[in-house]
């Protein structure tokens, strides 16, 4: 196929097509190339959605100048800049947070073209306002054709050069003052331009591979002084030069496995036990996993091996979500272990390359290759950045992005992680991204898979205790006993983090089983950590009394944690020097010894040719510990009645912060709930926090009354913690004689306990009869058939709710009953089958059609059963029914 790139000819003659010209636009493009930095270029390339081949071509340019020239040409080719309009470029520069650069570019455009850009939308339509011309004159000036000289003499004065617009596959015409520089850095081997007596026809274009090519032919030309060699960055080998590392792939894999082992070999179940570090496989127990199979439906998975389905056409991107402490990072490390050790039967041992990147450490990093080079390879790695780029471009690669909720650049619209998730770059990479349920990346494609962690069930808790804590049957039974009889513990310990803490501390004699609130559990756990460290310090230079003094005075840590967590961009890692300066050396050392604070080594690779920088950073053992100390500062803040919660706070993401605050201080907690209740998004937080208070003041009762008056929903997708808190709130509301307008169970109903009559939820939690409940709605899974025992139990439950006026059942098939309990009294019972024309109310012990008023006979009921099963034949419930009959 003939090349259609722009051609510069030195010497000779030829006619060029006529075209519209804005004098000075060529000089503007040269000036623009001096303004663009590598960071700005890459951000613009992403936001303009350039193809991967062009982005790779930009990255592989030998110098920033060469890259900038290529970028300028690419923008002109795609219409982001034009001789009469650069508004798209200006808008994009502002969008990526560079208004200063946008202003500079606008000034350069005015300087070289004498064309001002109007701010109020005129430029967006390509309208020009030139000085000294009327609007009609401007249009004529732009549209007038000119004869354009076709010959360019290399080395000629700038004033003799004119501008040529590139064709569809060309790059920009290069001004003479930069031509020698570009040719020297990009000319193919064997072509000598500077210093020769040749006339050179140069055709510059980007091929489909993204590589930059210069096509040349020769004739006589006056000598041109050489601009001198162009320095080559250390991390990019000169063109056509192979890497100096033999067998780069094997080196790459070996170094990744060394780094991976350093990650998975340092598991610390309890913060203060630092002399008993384990490999992840020694402590890993599978958590419950579910895959999203519809808008609101989830299907249980048998193992983490099933995360990537084997069938073709399944999503290559999987989001793994879970609440705090549910084991997301531990699961990621187990996957790394499987790959490094080639574990038989694990799909994670299959890819050529598997890399785990903690997003907390990737602030300011602009590419996956840079992230791997900086965070996943040894400091003394022989591999250069270009090696990494080439290796990951031709490999079967899986990348785990761990802790998106802690990613510092998640609010940057052009971060490389989001570009990969959207499929704009790295389309060949399988991606696993872990995050809190409250922080799902926005605008993901329909083909992105969703996995959620559901935590430890009783069997998983027992497996962990036997595998890691003790194999003694009696001790195991004792530890597990309290989880079954203490509902608060049972809910909390669904989270592996809490379950592990509980198991280890109880085994060591702690009385955690007596705790009845989230705040009490966490506070007791912190006391155990301090007590253990106090025992270790007995007889040491630091006396236990001084330790307790430091432990009780942590206002500086409280403030630091609160401000970091509630800022728009949460800060979760600090420089050690700064942290020590804020807290003092003694306090800092204490909390590192206790294990609440954790030190990490961090390497920063600066600009090419510079020496890598090493520093020690510090973070909390887990984000929940940061929320614990931040809660103390929130209590101090709300003592001022004028305090208002920052609008940017994600209440659900920081739910433990507010729960801790309410449990730590009764007056302060009451004020926190009042503030939460005043926010439009605060109802759920009130539900979580109110049970933490030992007493309900008048203000709290008013806030709760307002919330329950609009109805309470319990979804199947709600966490056990939220369901448990909701049940506690409803019970407390009934005890305080607060009317509850409605409770709706959305696919969360399971059965009825025949002895004590509570409604059993699918989570295993129980909703007891509520004396002040006015309406109960049970929205079952579509296609469910309620048994006689279940229906009888539901009716008996309603009898225990003294104020109940309405009972409604949706999407289910109720059993035929010849008679109903007379004790229903004035309760209105309504049954909705979701089949057109079949909605019934119970009148005098018989079902009456809600619309027609006709009575449902046994024969009509049998017909309804047939229609119902046909309507919902493809639902999981009906599929199970058919399988059981077969």
């Amino acid at each position: 196929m003939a090349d259609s790139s722009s051609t510069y000819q030195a010497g000779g003659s030829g006619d060029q097509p006529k075209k519209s010209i804005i004098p000075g636009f060529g000089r503007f493009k040269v000036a623009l190339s001096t303004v663009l930095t590598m960071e700005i270029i890459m951000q613009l390339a992403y936001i303009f959605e350039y193809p991967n081949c062009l982005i790779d071509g930009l990255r592989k340019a030998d110098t920033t100048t060469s890259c900038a020239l290529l970028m300028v040409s690419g923008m002109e080719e795609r219409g982001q800049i034009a001789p009469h309009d650069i508004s798209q470029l200006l808008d994009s520069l502002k969008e990526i947070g560079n208004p200063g650069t946008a202003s500079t570019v606008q000034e350069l455009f005015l300087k070289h073209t004498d064309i001002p850009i109007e701010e109020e939308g005129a430029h967006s339509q390509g309208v020009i306002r030139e000085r000294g011309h009327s609007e009609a004159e401007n249009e004529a000036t732009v549209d007038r054709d000119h004869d354009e000289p076709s010959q360019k003499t290399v080395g000629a004065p700038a004033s003799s050069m004119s501008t040529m617009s590139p064709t569809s596959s060309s790059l920009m015409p290069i001004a003479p003052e930069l031509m020698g520089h570009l040719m020297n850095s990009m000319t193919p081997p064997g072509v000598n331009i500077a210093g020769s007596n040749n006339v050179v026809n140069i055709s510059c274009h980007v091929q489909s591979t993204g590589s930059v090519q210069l096509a040349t032919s020769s004739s006589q030309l006056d000598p041109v002084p050489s601009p001198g060699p162009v320095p080559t960055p250390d991390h990019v080998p000169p063109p056509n030069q192979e890497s100096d590392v033999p067998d780069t792939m094997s080196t790459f894999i070996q170094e990744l496995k060394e780094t991976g082992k350093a990650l998975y070999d340092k598991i610390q179940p309890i913060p203060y036990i630092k002399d008993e570090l384990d490999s992840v496989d020694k402590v890993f127990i599978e958590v419950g996993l579910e895959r999203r199979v519809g808008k609101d439906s989830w299907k249980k998975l048998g193992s983490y091996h099933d995360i990537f389905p084997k069938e073709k056409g399944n999503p290559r991107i999987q989001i793994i979500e879970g609440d705090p402490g549910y084991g997301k990072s531990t699961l990621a490390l187990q996957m790394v272990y499987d790959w490094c050790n080639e574990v038989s039967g694990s799909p994670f041992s299959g890819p050529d390359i598997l890399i785990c990147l903690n997003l907390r450490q990737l602030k300011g990093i602009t590419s996956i290759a840079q992230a791997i080079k900086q965070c996943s390879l040894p400091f003394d790695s022989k591999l250069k950045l270009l090696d990494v780029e080439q290796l990951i471009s031709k490999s079967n690669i899986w990348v785990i992005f761990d802790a998106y909720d802690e990613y510092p650049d998640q609010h940057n619209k052009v971060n490389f992680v989001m570009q990969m998730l959207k499929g704009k770059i790295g389309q060949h990479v399988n991606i696993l991204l872990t995050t809190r349920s409250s922080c799902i990346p926005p605008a993901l494609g329909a083909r992105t898979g969703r996995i959620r962690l559901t935590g430890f069930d009783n069997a998983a808790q027992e497996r962990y205790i036997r595998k890691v804590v003790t194999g003694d049957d009696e001790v195991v039974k004792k530890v597990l006993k309290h989880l079954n009889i203490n509902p608060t513990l049972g809910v909390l310990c669904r989270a592996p983090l809490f379950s592990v803490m509980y198991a280890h501390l109880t085994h060591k004699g702690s009385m955690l089983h007596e705790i009845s609130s989230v705040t009490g559990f966490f506070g007791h756990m912190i006391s155990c950590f301090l007590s253990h460290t106090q025992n270790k310090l007995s007889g040491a230079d630091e006396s236990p009394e001084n330790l307790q003094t430091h432990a009780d005075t942590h206002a500086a840590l409280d403030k630091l944690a609160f401000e970091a967590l509630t800022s728009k961009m949460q800060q979760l890692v600090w420089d050690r020097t700064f942290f020590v300066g804020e807290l003092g050396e003694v306090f800092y050392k204490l909390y590192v010894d206790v294990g609440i604070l954790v030190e990490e080594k961090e390497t920063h690779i600066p600009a090419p040719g510079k020496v890598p920088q090493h520093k020690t950073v510090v973070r909390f053992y887990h984000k929940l510990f940061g929320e614990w100390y931040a809660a103390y500062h929130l209590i101090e803040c709300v003592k001022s009645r004028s305090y208002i919660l920052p609008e940017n706070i994600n209440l659900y993401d920081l739910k433990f912060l507010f729960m801790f605050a309410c449990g730590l201080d009764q007056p302060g907690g009451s004020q926190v709930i009042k503030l939460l209740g005043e926010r439009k998004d605060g109802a759920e937080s009130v539900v979580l926090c109110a049970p933490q208070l030992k007493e309900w003041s008048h203000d709290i009762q008013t806030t709760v009354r307002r919330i329950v008056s609009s109805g309470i929903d319990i979804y199947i997708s709600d966490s056990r913690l939220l369901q448990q808190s909701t049940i506690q709130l409803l019970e407390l509301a009934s005890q305080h004689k607060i009317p509850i307008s409605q409770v709706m169970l959305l696919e969360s109903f399971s059965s009825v306990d025949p002895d004590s009559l509570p409604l059993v939820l699918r989570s295993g939690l129980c909703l007891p009869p509520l004396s002040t409940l006015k309406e109960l709605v049970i929205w079952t899974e579509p296609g469910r058939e309620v048994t006689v025992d279940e229906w009888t139990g539901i009716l008996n439950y309603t009898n225990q709710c003294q104020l109940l006026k309405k009972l409604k059942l949706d999407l289910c098939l109720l059993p035929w009953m010849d008679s109903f309990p007379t004790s229903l009294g004035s309760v209105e019972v309504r049954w909705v089958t979701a089949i057109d024309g079949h909605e019934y109310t119970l009148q005098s012990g018989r079902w009456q059609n809600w619309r027609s008023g006709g009575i449902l006979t046994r024969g009509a009921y049998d017909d309804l059963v047939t229609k119902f099963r046909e309507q919902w034949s493809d639902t999981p419930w009906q599929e199970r029914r058919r399988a059981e009959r077969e």
Side-chain angles (χ1 to χ4, degrees), residues 578-608:
F578 166 80
F579 219 83
V580 172
E582 293 292 308
L583 306 183
E585 185 71 44
V586 175
F587 184 94
Y588 175 82
K589 184 177 183 300
L590 164 66
Y591 274 73
V592 171
D593 288 341
V594 171
I596 292 172
L597 297 178
V598 177
E599 291 184 340
E600 292 178 342
K601 298 294 183 182
E602 187 176 276
T603 300
H604 175 64
I605 301 177

Side-chain angles (χ1 to χ4, degrees), residues 215-255:
T216 65
S217 62
S218 300
S219 60
Q220 291 299 308
L221 178 68
D222 291 336
V224 179
S226 171
V230 178
T232 303
D234 291 344
H235 71 298
V236 181
N240 301 311
Q241 178 177 314
E242 297 295 329
S243 170
D244 57 359
V245 181
D247 195 3
T248 53
M249 178 57 80
S250 63
T251 301
F252 188 41
I253 291 175
Q254 179 183 350
E255 291 184 350

Side-chain angles (χ1 to χ4, degrees), residues 531-827:
S531 176
H532 177 87
T533 306
Q534 183 173 339
N535 293 336
K536 287 175 59 178
L537 292 177
S538 297
D541 294 337
E542 181 66 39
S543 69
E545 291 76 16
N546 286 340
L547 181 148
Q548 192 58 49
T549 299
H550 296 312
D552 292 341
T553 54
H554 42 74
L557 180 62
D558 304 341
K559 181 180 179 181
L560 192 150
F562 182 81
E563 292 178 347
L565 290 172
T566 58
S567 62
K568 183 176 181 180
M569 298 181 65
Q570 290 185 356
Q571 182 177 2
L572 302 169
V573 178
W574 296 266
D575 182 88
R576 181 189 185 280
T577 304
F578 166 80
F579 219 83
V580 172
E582 293 292 308
L583 306 183
E585 185 71 44
V586 175
F587 184 94
Y588 175 82
K589 184 177 183 300
L590 164 66
Y591 274 73
V592 171
D593 288 341
V594 171
I596 292 172
L597 297 178
V598 177
E599 291 184 340
E600 292 178 342
K601 298 294 183 182
E602 187 176 276
T603 300
H604 175 64
I605 301 177
K610 302 294 184 180
V611 178
Q613 301 169 354
H614 306 277
K615 65 178 180 179
T616 300
V617 296
V618 62
R619 62 175 176 82
F620 284 102
Y621 173 82
H622 192 280
K623 189 176 176 181
L624 286 174
F625 287 82
E627 293 185 55
W628 172 260
Y629 287 99
Y632 282 94
H633 187 72
L634 176 59
I635 292 298
E636 292 300 313
C637 290
V638 298
K639 287 180 179 179
S640 168
R641 292 288 173 169
S642 60
Y643 178 78
I644 300 176
L645 290 172
E647 283 296 323
N648 63 281
I649 289 182
N650 183 330
L651 298 183
Y652 187 76
D653 180 50
L654 297 177
K655 60 178 175 286
F656 280 98
L657 189 161
F658 297 106
M659 293 170 72
F660 292 152
C662 292
L664 286 170
D665 184 85
Q666 180 74 29
S670 297
Q671 184 63 16
V672 167
I673 289 179
K674 183 174 182 292
L675 292 174
L676 292 171
E678 292 171 353
R679 288 182 50 142
K680 294 181 179 179
D681 59 345
E684 186 172 296
S685 296
V686 172
V687 170
L688 288 165
C689 291
Q692 300 297 311
L693 293 172
K694 295 180 180 179
E695 297 179 4
W696 280 12
S697 65
H698 176 73
D699 287 343
I700 297 300
Q701 292 187 45
T702 300
T703 300
V704 171
R705 186 183 301 273
R706 184 171 65 251
I707 290 174
V708 299
S709 66
S710 58
I712 296 292
D713 299 337
I714 301 180
Y715 291 86
I716 178 58
S717 57
D718 289 345
S719 68
R720 280 176 61 91
L721 178 62
L722 178 56
Q723 288 189 2
Q724 175 68 16
S725 298
T726 303
I727 292 169
Q728 289 177 325
L729 179 81
L730 292 171
E731 287 186 279
L732 290 168
S734 286
Q735 292 172 14
H736 286 84
K737 308 300 181 184
I738 298 174
I740 303 167
S741 65
Q742 182 192 78
V743 170
M744 181 179 288
L745 306 182
L746 293 159
E747 297 190 29
S748 55
F749 168 77
S750 174
S751 60
V752 182
D753 188 314
D755 298 323
S756 55
L757 292 182
L759 299 181
V760 181
L761 306 185
R762 291 170 66 185
S763 63
L765 298 174
C766 294
L767 177 66
L770 303 169
S771 60
T772 60
L773 177 62
K774 293 184 175 181
E775 180 178 0
L776 174 64
V777 178
I778 301 178
W779 192 309
T780 69
E781 313 95 295
R784 174 166 180 170
E785 298 187 15
V786 177
T787 67
V788 172
D789 288 343
E790 290 170 344
W791 182 215
T792 302
I794 292 171
L795 294 174
N796 289 335
Y797 175 88
T798 62
N799 290 332
Q800 308 301 313
C801 303
Q802 292 90 337
L803 297 185
L804 192 72
K805 299 298 181 184
K806 293 182 180 180
L807 170 64
K808 181 181 177 183
L809 291 99
D810 263 311
L811 301 182
C812 62
L813 179 67
L814 293 179
W816 177 262
M817 294 180 67
D818 293 319
S819 61
F820 289 86
T822 57
S823 57
L824 283 173
S826 60
V827 176

Side-chain angles (χ1 to χ4, degrees), residues 165-214:
S165 176
T167 56
S168 62
S169 63
S170 66
L171 291 181
M172 67 166 284
I174 312 268
E177 58 265 35
L178 291 173
M179 176 63 77
H181 177 89
L182 181 59
M183 290 192 297
N184 186 62
S185 64
M186 300 175 66
T187 302
V191 177
N192 181 18
I193 296 178
S196 70
N197 293 324
N198 292 329
V199 174
V200 182
N201 293 331
I202 302 173
S203 176
C204 181
H205 65 283
V206 177
Q207 293 184 333
S208 61
T209 60
S211 60
V212 180
Q213 302 291 330
L214 291 174

